[in-house]
Amino acid sequence: MEFYKVDVFTKKPLKGNPAAVVLGILEDEIMRSLAFELNISETVFVEKRDDAFHLRYFTPYTEIDLCGHATIGAFYVLKLKGLKAGRYKAVTKAGEIEVKVEDIIWLKVVEPNIVEFELNGLEEVTGVKILDSAIVDVGIPIGLVEIEDFENLMKLKPDPKLSEFCKDRGIVGVHFYTFDSEFDACARFFAPAVGIPEDPVTGTANSALAYYLNSSGKLVKGYYKFEQGHALKREGIVHVKLDYGVWVGGEAVCVLRGILEI
């Protein structure tokens, strides 16, 4: 069975957000064991059935319903294997999602919803000045927090107090961003309450950010580019477009391929 390791939201090897892609779906226990063996944040198993691609996602410790960057990685590998440009249906435990294969890979995310326009109490936790905040639900509730500049963004550190803050507010994590960027914004995403001290490059959180910036009038565009990953030396670019829904896109690069023998 073929196996690939791809870095997503980048064209540079060893940057962006890594995912493992296995071409085929196996017994649940074998997939769990393989994900633990491969020890990459997410491993996706993908298989074509009739007119749709079925995907299953595993962390080293558990199965999850959906992973955006792993989905982009899976369809990038399928493109390497000859999949033509076009629209495709991906079947996941979170439901069906639409994927567009172009020069980059796009997936349509759940329509976001602004739950609150303010997220109080973070200045005491982070020690940095907060300029604006909100909570946006994209299937999972995410806190969005604007801070002053890139320097203060890089000073942020994962903190146990942030984990408690997220649990108390019922959010998965906090996506800090600044307009001090050569792109539309530069960001960092922390989700310690769900076991992710910091995610390198996050499609879901950046889709929430694009929707919020557009809806609130802070930065109204049809196409956004966000940079992320600097603090982990895994820089990447997330593309988001608002086109009859919210689409998250990214490039990818293969850094490893081989054969699983089990």
Side-chain angles (χ1 to χ4, degrees), residues 9 15 36 110 139 159 171 185 241:
F9 298 125
K15 298 294 184 180
F36 181 81
V110 173
D159 191 303
I171 57 178
K241 61 182 178 181

Side-chain angles (χ1 to χ4, degrees), residues 153-156 174-176 186-190 198 228 231:
L153 185 69
M154 291 301 105
K155 286 180 180 177
L156 293 170
V174 180
H175 197 53
F176 295 90
C186 181
R188 295 177 69 185
F189 181 63
F190 300 95
E198 181 173 0
Q228 191 181 338

Side-chain angles (χ1 to χ4, degrees), residues 106-128:
W106 295 94
L107 62 96
K108 191 175 185 180
V109 301
V110 173
E111 186 71 23
N113 174 48
I114 300 174
V115 178
E116 295 182 37
F117 278 92
E118 199 167 0
L119 186 61
N120 296 318
L122 262 179
E123 287 196 352
E124 294 79 2
V125 175
T126 62
V128 299

Side-chain angles (χ1 to χ4, degrees), residues 15-244:
K15 298 294 184 180
N17 204 346
V21 179
V22 178
L23 298 182
I25 291 179
L26 300 161
E27 297 174 12
D28 287 10
E29 190 56 41
I30 294 176
M31 290 191 289
R32 290 190 191 95
S33 297
L34 266 175
F36 181 81
E37 180 85 8
L38 296 173
N39 198 32
I40 298 172
S41 59
E42 281 84 18
T43 296
V44 55
F45 297 81
V46 55
E47 184 173 272
K48 177 85 179 290
R49 298 178 192 165
D50 299 324
D51 63 341
F53 289 93
H54 291 248
L55 294 90
R56 300 275 300 274
Y57 310 87
F58 291 82
T59 73
Y61 300 101
T62 189
E63 183 174 10
I64 56 177
D65 292 344
L66 178 65
C67 176
H69 84 275
T71 303
I72 291 173
F75 276 86
Y76 170 76
V77 168
L78 293 170
K79 183 181 175 184
L80 287 180
K81 297 289 292 180
L83 186 68
K84 298 185 183 302
R87 292 185 178 228
Y88 297 92
K89 182 169 64 176
V91 179
T92 76
K93 284 198 167 183
E96 290 185 7
I97 57 175
E98 189 175 355
V99 177
K100 288 195 290 190
V101 175
E102 299 177 346
D103 290 339
I104 65 177
I105 310 296
W106 295 94
L107 62 96
K108 191 175 185 180
V109 301
V110 173
E111 186 71 23
N113 174 48
I114 300 174
V115 178
E116 295 182 37
F117 278 92
E118 199 167 0
L119 186 61
N120 296 318
L122 262 179
E123 287 196 352
E124 294 79 2
V125 175
T126 62
V128 299
K129 184 179 179 181
I130 304 300
L131 303 182
D132 186 43
S133 63
I135 298 175
V136 177
D137 193 318
V138 281
I140 54 174
I142 292 174
L144 302 176
V145 175
E146 180 190 352
I147 62 176
E148 289 185 294
D149 52 32
F150 183 82
E151 182 180 355
N152 279 293
L153 185 69
M154 291 301 105
K155 286 180 180 177
L156 293 170
K157 298 184 185 306
D159 191 303
K161 290 184 290 186
L162 182 60
S163 177
E164 293 305 312
F165 178 88
C166 291
K167 291 176 182 177
D168 290 343
R169 294 306 302 268
I171 57 178
V172 168
V174 180
H175 197 53
F176 295 90
Y177 69 95
T178 175
F179 293 118
D180 181 16
S181 168
E182 64 178 296
F183 299 96
D184 293 309
C186 181
R188 295 177 69 185
F189 181 63
F190 300 95
V194 294
I196 304 172
E198 181 173 0
D199 194 46
V201 193
T202 317
T204 307
N206 282 300
S207 71
L209 178 57
Y211 180 83
Y212 172 70
L213 295 179
N214 188 279
S215 300
S216 65
K218 290 177 68 68
L219 182 62
V220 179
K221 302 179 71 174
Y223 194 121
Y224 297 83
K225 286 184 180 181
F226 301 119
E227 58 178 333
Q228 191 181 338
H230 302 76
L232 300 176
K233 302 189 185 301
R234 303 266 335 183
E235 299 91 339
I237 303 296
V238 178
H239 302 249
V240 184
K241 61 182 178 181
L242 309 180
D243 180 18
Y244 297 100

